[in-house]
Amino acid sequence: MQSQPLSRLNKPAAGAPATSSAPAPKVGFVSLGCPKALVDSEQILTQLRAEGYETAKSYDGADLVIVNTCGFIDAAVQESLDAIGEALAENGKVIVTGCLGAKKDADGSDLIQKIHPKVLAVTGPHAVGEVMASVHTHLPKPHEPFIDLLPPQGIKLTPKHYAYLKISEGCNHRCSFCIIPSMRGDLVSRPIAELMLEAENLFKAGVKELLVISQDTSAYGIDVKFRSGFWNGRPVKTHMTQLTEALGQLAAQYGAWVRLHYVYPYPHVDEIIPMMSGGHVLPYLDIPMQHAHPEVLKRMKRPASGEKNLERILKWRQMNPDLTIRSTFIAGFPGETEAEFEYLLDFLKEAQIDRLGCFAYSPVEGATANDIANPVPEELREERRGRVMLLQEEISKKRLQAKVGKTVKVLIDELTPSGAIGRSAADAPEIDGVVYVKKPYEPHKKLAVGQFFDVEITRADAHDLWGEA
């Protein structure tokens, strides 16, 4: 629920195409869901390219299609089922993977195969080996390719200048509204040396912004008792603070950014804030708070209380006034009273969250929250969500207006006839606002995608900024 759904169909992959006397088999790819699912897609595409398969740009040009699904909320489930149906209608040979693949119907049967019995195979998330085994069964493996067909950074679905680094899989929390642990399992942290090597390869390939993601970034290393790994000949603990420090030092060598997502407000996050003053670990925290009232958080089975969250936010802003905080909240959670909702609004007025998304509670099949007494009527859930977003619009407009007249560093994402669209340290791709940059008057100053520019902010609204380079 922390990310906006995204879909990428058969996006051309990086790396040189395979060459052979016989055409290489082609695989179409549809990727749905959050950035964690996107990383799974990238890993599958990387393995496909490593084995000599090519990526098809259309359904009719594919020998088979892989659909990576999302299964968190009802809208995402329907989007995934529709995508599978479309792939079956347009191509006919479909392998399904992702979170929805791990979901069972009420009678315990496979949900996808019950609705779409013609799919070739179904796997859960983070299942590269199982997906490849199904591909080999239905589309025989081509010749062994030369090693230089695969770029060191692997195949990426993001633009060349930014990439996601998934540091762990699964989650140890059992939030009552969430079924992700039942689909992705408990926390499994990746070895820190492996992460640092992947980050280095990404920076070498031209990545200027590395977005650290997981289900719970603050919990990185808990499952392995924070054991030490080695990077560049020195020991580094499998721990969020040491990983962030190492990534920041590495990013500095390449003039790049590191952005932290899905950070639970545990006490050791306090140690991260001082690292954000050097310009490489961005002063940005994506914290999925979900609510503020202690009783609602208790029913949600969240690991933190609203009161401590507010104290911690105020402390962090004292340590770094430039800190941007992004969060998501749920309105209309089962049992939420008007007083509890008003408490949330008061919290938002005091916390002044910079970037905020709010969802009306959506019953997810299999979530224990569905059994909580006194469910909030759907119309009231939507009304409360609207009140949160109306308040947030006022807060966001005020905070962005304070940036007018200041000069901010902007990473360019896209060129336009009038200049460019980019993002500041306060803007994560696809979920936050953007900076519209006017074309410079000086002929020697040319805007370029993937490059940083200092931009003087001239105008702001509730979501975006405008400025001149």
Side-chain angles (χ1 to χ4, degrees):
M1 189 170 287
Q2 294 106 326
S3 299
Q4 299 296 320
L6 56 92
S7 175
R8 291 176 171 85
L9 168 60
N10 305 320
K11 204 168 182 181
T19 56
S20 171
S21 56
K26 292 186 176 182
V27 178
F29 209 102
V30 180
S31 183
L32 303 169
C34 66
K36 294 177 286 295
L38 180 66
V39 172
D40 288 351
S41 296
E42 292 173 341
Q43 291 171 350
I44 294 168
L45 284 167
T46 296
Q47 188 61 35
L48 286 166
R49 178 57 61 87
E51 295 186 9
Y53 294 92
E54 289 188 359
T55 304
K57 294 183 174 69
S58 63
Y59 285 122
D60 57 8
D63 296 301
L64 65 77
V65 175
I66 298 173
V67 181
N68 189 5
T69 59
C70 179
F72 189 28
I73 60 176
D74 290 347
V77 170
Q78 191 58 54
E79 181 185 21
S80 295
L81 291 173
D82 290 345
I84 295 167
E86 180 183 357
L88 283 169
E90 297 290 335
N91 182 275
K93 297 179 69 175
V94 179
I95 292 171
V96 178
T97 187
C99 287
L100 188 59
K103 202 167 186 179
K104 302 298 180 184
D105 209 346
D107 60 3
S109 61
D110 186 286
L111 177 65
I112 291 174
Q113 290 185 322
K114 187 173 183 178
I115 297 174
H116 294 299
K118 293 184 178 180
V119 296
L120 301 177
V122 178
T123 79
H126 199 56
V128 177
E130 294 174 64
V131 172
M132 292 308 301
S134 298
V135 172
H136 296 156
T137 299
H138 300 283
L139 188 61
K141 189 175 178 179
H143 69 286
E144 288 293 328
F146 295 107
I147 192 68
D148 62 358
L149 294 181
L150 183 66
Q153 73 274 16
I155 307 301
K156 295 294 169 187
L157 292 172
T158 50
K160 183 180 178 182
H161 61 283
Y162 70 81
Y164 295 101
L165 180 72
K166 185 161 64 170
I167 65 173
S168 63
E169 189 62 58
C171 183
N172 286 344
H173 301 305
R174 294 296 182 266
C175 301
S176 60
F177 57 83
C178 181
I179 59 172
I180 286 176
S182 68
M183 295 185 287
R184 289 186 171 261
D186 290 336
L187 176 72
V188 179
S189 299
R190 293 178 59 194
I192 195 163
E194 179 182 301
L195 290 174
M196 294 304 299
L197 179 60
E198 181 176 337
E200 184 175 46
N201 285 333
L202 288 167
F203 288 138
K204 285 180 178 178
V207 165
K208 291 298 182 183
E209 180 179 6
L210 195 65
L211 299 107
V212 176
I213 59 171
S214 65
Q215 290 300 139
D216 180 359
T217 295
S218 304
Y220 175 66
I222 286 177
D223 55 314
V224 293
K225 296 181 172 56
F226 307 121
R227 69 180 173 219
S228 292
F230 286 87
W231 173 246
N232 282 347
R234 65 182 181 89
V236 185
K237 281 189 176 181
T238 308
H239 192 282
M240 179 198 182
T241 56
Q242 293 206 18
L243 173 64
T244 302
E245 182 179 24
L247 287 174
Q249 292 172 354
L250 184 62
Q253 298 175 30
Y254 294 89
W257 284 350
V258 174
R259 189 184 299 274
L260 301 176
H261 286 274
Y262 313 122
V263 177
Y264 279 69
Y266 302 149
H268 65 258
V269 176
D270 294 358
E271 302 171 25
I272 300 293
I273 307 302
M275 300 178 193
M276 296 177 169
S277 60
H280 298 288
V281 176
L282 295 180
Y284 179 103
L285 288 176
D286 175 8
I287 307 168
M289 296 179 196
Q290 308 302 7
H291 211 278
H293 196 283
E295 290 303 313
V296 179
L297 290 168
K298 186 177 179 180
R299 293 196 293 274
M300 288 180 169
K301 297 185 178 178
R302 297 294 283 173
S305 75
E307 183 180 357
K308 289 181 181 177
N309 283 349
L310 182 57
E311 291 173 0
R312 191 150 283 132
I313 287 170
L314 297 176
K315 177 182 178 181
W316 290 340
R317 286 214 169 111
Q318 286 180 345
M319 296 169 69
N320 190 327
D322 294 327
L323 179 66
T324 295
I325 295 176
R326 171 175 180 78
S327 191
T328 49
F329 292 84
I330 298 174
F333 189 77
E336 182 188 63
T337 64
E338 183 64 25
E340 290 170 342
F341 176 71
E342 291 288 346
Y343 185 100
L344 169 61
L345 294 180
D346 290 341
F347 169 86
L348 295 178
K349 291 173 186 175
E350 195 164 355
Q352 295 285 295
I353 304 296
D354 299 87
R355 302 294 194 183
L356 183 147
C358 183
F359 298 85
Y361 174 73
S362 173
V364 177
E365 187 176 338
T368 59
N370 300 334
D371 300 326
I372 295 174
N374 302 317
V376 179
E378 183 177 0
E379 186 176 346
L380 184 54
R381 282 182 256 152
E382 289 293 342
E383 188 266 342
R384 287 178 178 174
R385 186 197 71 82
R387 287 166 65 187
V388 168
M389 295 313 297
L390 196 61
L391 171 61
Q392 179 57 30
E393 187 171 358
E394 296 175 9
I395 293 171
S396 179
K397 186 174 182 179
K398 178 182 177 182
R399 294 189 71 80
L400 288 179
Q401 191 65 38
K403 297 185 179 184
V404 174
K406 295 182 179 180
T407 298
V408 301
K409 191 174 184 180
V410 172
L411 178 60
I412 302 299
D413 285 332
E414 176 187 350
L415 298 181
T416 67
S418 59
I421 300 173
R423 291 175 294 104
S424 71
D427 309 307
E430 299 186 341
I431 57 173
D432 292 329
V434 297
V435 182
Y436 294 96
V437 185
K438 188 176 180 180
K439 188 179 294 184
Y441 293 111
E442 301 90 335
H444 67 277
K445 190 185 286 187
K446 291 185 178 180
L447 300 172
V449 172
Q451 299 299 313
F452 292 105
F453 288 86
D454 289 331
V455 176
E456 183 180 353
I457 303 303
T458 57
R459 183 162 69 91
D461 64 12
H463 306 286
D464 304 313
L465 299 170
W466 284 257
E468 300 177 357

